[in-house]
Amino acid sequence: MEFDALTLARIQFAFTVSFHIVFPAFTIGLASYLAVLEGLWLWRRGDVYLHLYRYWSKIFAITFGMGVVSGIVMSYQFGTNWGPFSDAAGPVIGPLLGYEVLSAFFLEAGFLGVMLFGMNRVGRGLHFFATLMVAAGTLFSAFWILAANSWMQTPTGAGFDGLQFTPDDWWTVIFNPSFPFRFVHMVLAAYLTTALIVGAVGAWHLLRISSDPAARVMVSMAMWMAALVAPLQLLAGDLHGLNTLEHQPAKIAAMEGHWEKQRGAPLLLFGIPDMGREETRYALSIPRLGSLILTHDWNGEVPGLLEWPPEDRPNSAVVFWSFRTMVGLGIAMIALGLASLALRRRGRLYSARWFLRLAVVMGPSGLVAVIAGWITTEVGRQPWVVYGMMRTSEGVSPVAAPAVASSLALFAVVYFAVFGAGVYYLLQLMHRPAGADDAGRPPGAPERAAGITPAPSIGREEAEAPQ
């Protein structure tokens, strides 16, 4: 591989986006989880939900902050490494990202303070509304980001004169052919990612204290989510695959490791795609299953990479294995959900130690699956930055390779130092059980400042004190 400016710029963007994507994937699901916890607390009045809300809201605040910081760095790269692309696609991508800031980021930031610090300063209804708005803001953010990315994958509603894209129909730009499938796939992935992390934390504490009520709630809610959403994600992925076959057949050929167009194509379970020899070596396959999955027909026609010239093919070796990593983890998530249903039925969900250990191991699997899916999507789109209209090589800035390499090295050092410390602190928070420390001051209790209790509250405190 030649490490020219284009390759280094792609590596730099892949490095930063891989760091960034894990934070939104976690916060989208965690914001909704916090809204559910507060709703259950208001409905059932169970203190365990309030304790869990306070426990996970601290983790949400830190993750949200790291997500914002890592996202800003990506914007910087659009101006330095991808100037021609920014100039050409700016009339389309710029407004979409602007709507994301206006409708999503402002919504999240505006209500985040109330959510984090307003429990005892505003009414319960208003506080719950703030939590709902933060959850809605994360979904709006995903909506606009996925609209922009989907347009780059299936560009519609905009003309291209060779220099700039000009939007003709914003509805067609936003609701481009692949957008609904990508949006649903990503949101479900975010919910699964959060469920697996919450379940892993709960299982970790149950292995230490089997009677921990907060840990039981975490495991129970997380496993319900895994059992219900993981199969739904399989269905969403299937529909997404049909859409990709229609609009990006070269990506499908790379994902499947097929070189010849054929009917009744086998499903290649494993193999080593060789771009030079134009074949997949050591392939282990199941006859006709590839056509059945991709076209829902035993004799359906599946594309092969040889239909495209070498310069128009995505890297099959990367896409082939990143896709199998994502699918393999998805199948493991379904198995975990089904196992939880069986154990729940037998009354052993909180006591089967093998299952709790498995839940702990599966904790990061959602994040790994998200990164693998993102690699499949982005590498599979190559060599196009706007599919079929603008090549990635045409979007890179005329900067020297050493300059890009230097900034990449600097990013690597800073990212591992800053985000490494942040992740370490998150793990420390998760290691601590949810309980009395997260109860805080009961809502409505008198507020103290510098050790002084407001005079009107002193008598009430004394009257309410246990005798």
Side-chain angles (χ1 to χ4, degrees), residues 31-47:
S32 295
Y33 181 56
L34 288 171
V36 171
L37 285 173
E38 186 167 12
L40 288 172
W41 172 61
L42 293 173
W43 176 34
R44 296 184 177 179
R45 303 294 179 184
D47 286 344

Side-chain angles (χ1 to χ4, degrees), residues 7-260:
T7 303
L8 290 169
R10 287 183 59 194
I11 292 174
Q12 186 177 118
F13 197 81
F15 174 77
T16 53
V17 78
S18 297
F19 261 90
H20 174 70
I21 191 65
V22 298
F23 298 119
F26 187 30
T27 53
I28 290 170
L30 193 52
S32 295
Y33 181 56
L34 288 171
V36 171
L37 285 173
E38 186 167 12
L40 288 172
W41 172 61
L42 293 173
W43 176 34
R44 296 184 177 179
R45 303 294 179 184
D47 286 344
V48 66
Y49 299 114
L50 180 60
H51 296 171
L52 284 173
Y53 178 87
R54 285 176 162 147
Y55 180 81
W56 285 103
S57 62
K58 297 173 185 172
I59 295 170
F60 174 84
I62 296 169
T63 310
F64 181 83
M66 289 195 288
V68 171
V69 172
S70 58
I72 291 173
V73 174
M74 293 168 58
S75 303
Y76 151 80
Q77 288 178 67
F78 281 125
T80 55
N81 295 349
W82 302 102
F85 164 72
S86 301
D87 181 50
V92 176
I93 301 296
L96 296 180
L97 298 183
Y99 298 146
E100 192 254 345
V101 172
L102 289 174
S103 65
F105 190 67
F106 281 6
L107 194 64
E108 294 170 279
F111 286 97
L112 185 62
V114 178
M115 187 187 106
L116 294 177
F117 307 110
M119 179 68 81
N120 297 295
R121 293 175 172 81
V122 300
R124 293 181 178 181
L126 177 56
H127 189 271
F128 183 46
F129 179 75
T131 305
L132 289 175
M133 288 302 98
V134 171
T138 60
L139 291 173
F140 275 127
S141 180
F143 177 92
W144 291 114
I145 294 297
L146 266 296
N149 181 265
S150 298
W151 179 82
M152 293 165 65
Q153 304 276 350
T154 52
T156 54
F160 185 50
D161 61 5
L163 295 175
Q164 270 197 328
F165 291 91
T166 305
D168 300 322
D169 183 344
W170 278 108
W171 285 107
T172 309
V173 168
I174 296 169
F175 296 99
N176 58 79
S178 66
F179 168 71
F181 303 97
R182 294 181 196 282
F183 180 64
V184 171
H185 200 47
M186 184 66 209
V187 171
L188 292 180
Y191 285 159
L192 270 175
T193 296
T194 302
L196 290 165
I197 293 175
V198 170
V201 173
W204 170 260
H205 291 298
L206 278 183
L207 286 169
R208 302 167 69 194
I209 306 174
S210 60
S211 60
D212 186 337
R216 289 189 172 212
V217 172
M218 281 192 273
V219 169
S220 178
M221 295 178 72
M223 291 306 125
W224 275 124
M225 181 63 77
L228 296 175
V229 175
L232 277 180
Q233 182 69 309
L234 181 66
L235 175 62
D238 178 61
L239 297 175
H240 190 11
L242 294 176
N243 178 267
T244 306
L245 176 63
E246 179 180 357
H247 297 282
Q248 295 178 300
K251 180 188 292 188
I252 285 291
M255 289 163 57
E256 298 301 320
H258 290 310
W259 295 88
E260 302 279 355

Side-chain angles (χ1 to χ4, degrees), residues 2 31 40 55 65 88-89 91 160 171 191 195 199 235 237 262 269 288-289 313 352 365 372 392:
E2 182 182 356
L40 288 172
Y55 180 81
F160 185 50
W171 285 107
Y191 285 159
L235 175 62
Q262 55 188 314
L269 296 176
R288 295 183 179 274
L289 190 56
R313 299 171 190 166
S365 62
T392 306

Side-chain angles (χ1 to χ4, degrees), residues 257 259 268 270-275 279-284 316-317 320-321:
W259 295 88
L268 304 189
F270 301 99
I272 303 176
D274 190 325
M275 299 291 290
E279 64 178 7
T280 299
R281 295 184 290 136
Y282 311 114
L284 175 63
S316 182
F320 183 88
W321 280 108

